[in-house]
Each structure stands twice: as structure tokens, then as C-alpha cells.
């Protein structure tokens, strides 16, 4: 293990929830629930729908809040005749720092392949955005004990052709599909097993310097009640939160995980 300290990163993936009025309200409530010190200790990120981004930018910049934001998807293309798509340069212009790529809901409902995910990660870097690169296994793979191999293969494919300094910046989110929106959280040991295996794979391929710099999140039914024990694991550097990120109090409490007792 190196001596790199990885700043915890808690990101709220709002999915297809909240219009721009509701987005503004949620940002205001978050700002009221978290102190500057708490936001300093943990990188706090929101990933609203595209249509909310301008409003979220205005709210965050207006009050100089230490909250980062980003999008839930990106086009692999830079610009052009791609109806309905959003380019990385457009997201960068709105002040986005992050973009989620390869979320299981996009892989499943929009047939996103590892190859497309890899192209989107490259598009994000070209636009100066940091990918939150999602991987995770479905229930049948987990039941057949194929989860580690599945996730490390997704990591290999997603990072193909990237430079080491890009890989160092990336955030990887391990989200077991069977734990998303189901209330079935993976145990902290389950989360550590895969997050640790991902880091070991990164070390094998790119060296321990790179592996120790990458932040790895766990996602899947994260709540204020279970965050502390998940964050206590050595290779878990943060969380990607879905449903619980729509409630300001709950999300703020997740961000304050250092004040909770791990159970
Ligand atoms: O998919 C997720 C975050 O990207 C997790 O969603 P839930 O927290 O609602 O299970």
C-alpha cells in the first residue's frame, strides 16, 4: 500500500427524477444541511438529469457551495447530427466536473456495450470531464460466483487505451445490479471483495501508484444507516447513491458518514 490519501467521494445519482424547480430546492436544502467543514471533508457530488444542470450550476455557483456536479451520460461523439445526444463539451461549458458512464441501467435498457462505455470515457476526458465509470454484476453472475471476474473484465474493457494519468483521475463505481433500488445492500465484505479486486487489477496492469490513486465507490441501496460500515472498508472510497440522494436530509447524513458509528 502506498501513502496516497484518497478523499472520500459521495455522489448522488438522481436518475430520471426531479425537474429543475425541484432540483433547485434540493440543492438549497443540501446547502442548509451541510457545513462548509463537512463539505470540505468529503467530496460531494450531484448528478441531476441534463435539464436540471443549468439550474444546479446557478444554485451552486451563486452560493459558492463546495458541491460538484455532473451528468448521468455523455455522447461518444464530439458534435454533429446525433439527435437527442449531449456532447461532453456542452457539459463542460455548464461547469460539470463529472459524468457517470456505463451505469447498469444504461447498459441494460440502452444496450450499452463495454466498447461504447470505453468510447464515452475517452469522450469525457477529451472534454475535460472526470468519468464515474460504473461496473457491476447481475444476480445470476453473483450466484455463479463470477462477480469478481465479471467486474474486473468490465474495468479492463472500459479503460482500454487510456493513459495512466487519465486512469489515476477516474472514479470507478462498483454497483452490483441486484443491490440497485432493491433495498438489498451488499454487505461491507461483499463491497470490499470487489473494490479490492478492482484495485488489485489496476495495480497489476498499471502499477501500484495508479491503483492507489483511483477512487472506488460502492453503489446499491446505500443509506445513512449503512454508509459508515461500507466506508470503513479499506478499498471503498465513496458511494454512488440513488434513491437516498433524492432526500436532502438523508443524503446530507450519508455525506456526514464520519460522524456515524459503523455497525
Ligand atoms: O444505481 C444506483 C446509483 O447509481 C444505486 O441506486 P439505489 O441507491 O437507489 O439502490
Amino acid at each position: 500500500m502506498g501513502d496516497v490519501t484518497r478523499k472520500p467521494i459521495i455522489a448522488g445519482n438522481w436518475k430520471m427524477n426531479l425537474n429543475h424547480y425541484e432540483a433547485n430546492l434540493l440543492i438549497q436544502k443540501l446547502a442548509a444541511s451541510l457545513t462548509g467543514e463537512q463539505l470540505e471533508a468529503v467530496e460531494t457530488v450531484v448528478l441531476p438529469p441534463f435539464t436540471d444542470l443549468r439550474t444546479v450550476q446557478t444554485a451552486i455557483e451563486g452560493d459558492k457551495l463546495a458541491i460538484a456536479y455532473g451528468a448521468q451520460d455523455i455522447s461518444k461523439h464530439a458534435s454533429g447530427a446525433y439527435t437527442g445526444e449531449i456532447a461532453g463539451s456542452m457539459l463542460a461549458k455548464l461547469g460539470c466536473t463529472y459524468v457517470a458512464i456505463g451505469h447498469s441501467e444504461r447498459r441494460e435498457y440502452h444496450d450499452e456495450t463495454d466498447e461504447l462505455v470505453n468510447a464515452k470515457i475517452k469522450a469525457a476526458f477529451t472534454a475535460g470531464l472526470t468519468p464515474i465509470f460504473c461496473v457491476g454484476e447481475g444476480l445470476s453472475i453473483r450466484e455463479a460466483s463470477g462477480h469478481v471476474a465479471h467486474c474486473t473484465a468490465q474495468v479492463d474493457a472500459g479503460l482500454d487505451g487510456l493513459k495512466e494519468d487519465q486512469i489515476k483521475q477516474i472514479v470507478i463505481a462498483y454497483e452490483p445490479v441486484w443491490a440497485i433500488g432493491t433495498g438489498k445492500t451488499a454487505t461491507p465484505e461483499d463491497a470490499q471483495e470487489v473494490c479490492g479486486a478492482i484495485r488489485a487489477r489496476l495495480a497489476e496492469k498499471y502499477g501500484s501508484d495508479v491503483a492507489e490513486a483511483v477512487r472506488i465507490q460502492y453503489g446499491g441501496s446505500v443509506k445513512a444507516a449503512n454508509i459508515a460500515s461500507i466506508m470503513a472498508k479499506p478499498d471503498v472510497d465513496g458511494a454512488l447513491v440513488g434513491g437516498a440522494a433524492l432526500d436532502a436530509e438523508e443524503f446530507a447524513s450519508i455525506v456526514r458518514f464520519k460522524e456515524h458509528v459503523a455497525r
Side-chain angles (χ1 to χ4, degrees), residues 97-101 121 124-125 129-133 169-172:
T97 304
Y98 292 100
V99 57
I101 297 177
I121 290 174
F125 279 118
L129 301 167
T130 299
I132 297 180
F133 163 35
Q169 290 172 45
I170 211 163
V171 177
I172 297 179

Side-chain angles (χ1 to χ4, degrees), residues 7 9 59 141 148 184 233 248:
K7 187 170 184 173
I9 176 167
I141 295 174
V148 167
K184 269 191 220 166
K233 294 296 176 188

Side-chain angles (χ1 to χ4, degrees), residues 110-131:
H110 300 271
D111 297 326
E112 291 200 5
T113 60
D114 284 338
E115 207 177 20
L116 179 59
V117 168
N118 177 250
K120 288 186 173 192
I121 290 174
K122 288 174 178 160
F125 279 118
T126 301
L129 301 167
T130 299

Side-chain angles (χ1 to χ4, degrees), residues 2 4 202-204 206-213:
V4 184
L202 294 173
E204 197 182 313
Y206 309 105
S208 64
D209 243 33
V210 172
E212 290 299 314

Side-chain angles (χ1 to χ4, degrees), residues 13 15 103 105 175 179-182 219-222 240-244:
N13 173 9
K15 307 193 179 184
H103 191 280
E105 286 149 19
E175 299 204 303
I180 295 178
T182 57
S221 299
V222 170
L240 186 54
V241 183

Side-chain angles (χ1 to χ4, degrees), residues 16 124 139 188 206 221 226:
M16 197 173 72
L139 187 59
Y206 309 105
S221 299
N226 58 29

